[in-house]
Amino acid sequence: MIYGIGTDICDIRRLEATFGRQGERFVHKVLSDAEMLVWRRRSERNAQRGLRFLATRFSAKEAFSKAIGLGMRMPMTWRRCEITNLPSGKPVIVLHGELKSWFEAQGLRAHVTVTDETDYAASFVVVEQD
């Protein structure tokens, strides 16, 4: 049974402006430690690739928070929700701490897809309940 559906479209230019004002402080707020490693590698190769990575993660976490019906309220936090990729490249959601415990107690599982274009990153999350 579908528990919730979340979507988000992020204007990469706005995210770039926020990053310009706040720098890595903003990145640390949004990304998990594992995501930070990927962001650094991508940013070192190409600043725009790093920015698009940050935008897709920001967007996916927003979409996930909508799909579970909490928004950015406890136990949902930016860093407790991690978007990673399987070896095939498929994006998956990995949860941590209280958010993981809450999610599992509800009998939920999530499916996520992300995309980025020149100016926008978009994400869609479907959460199912057993």
Side-chain angles (χ1 to χ4, degrees), residues 17-123:
T18 301
F19 178 72
R21 286 189 311 274
Q22 297 183 14
E24 284 197 26
R25 190 175 80 218
F26 176 68
V27 178
H28 282 283
K29 178 180 175 184
V30 174
L31 300 181
S32 70
D33 291 339
E35 290 169 322
M36 284 287 298
L37 295 174
V38 176
W39 174 79
R40 282 192 197 287
R41 280 197 316 267
R42 290 187 183 194
S43 293
E44 287 169 2
R45 276 190 253 137
N46 182 302
Q48 283 301 309
R49 281 195 73 212
L51 189 60
R52 287 194 303 270
F53 176 83
L54 177 61
T56 58
R57 274 40 192 179
F58 181 93
S59 178
K61 292 174 186 198
E62 282 285 331
F64 176 75
S65 74
K66 294 170 186 175
I68 61 173
L70 292 178
M72 284 297 169
R73 292 182 296 126
M74 292 299 282
M76 177 66 197
T77 68
W78 294 104
R79 292 179 52 84
R80 287 185 182 155
C81 177
E82 180 179 332
I83 313 302
T84 190
N85 295 86
L86 297 177
S88 66
K90 177 184 176 183
V92 293
I93 296 175
V94 177
L95 303 176
H96 303 282
E98 293 174 47
L99 180 59
K100 180 180 179 179
S101 300
W102 175 86
F103 193 78
E104 290 173 351
Q106 305 298 312
L108 303 176
R109 64 182 182 278
H111 309 278
V112 61
T113 185
V114 299
T115 187
D116 63 271
E117 298 301 326
T118 304
D119 295 328
Y120 296 96
S123 301

Side-chain angles (χ1 to χ4, degrees), residues 7-22:
T7 63
D8 188 75
I9 299 173
C10 173
D11 186 332
I12 296 174
R13 295 164 297 188
R14 290 185 66 200
L15 199 89
E16 184 175 27
T18 301
F19 178 72
R21 286 189 311 274
Q22 297 183 14

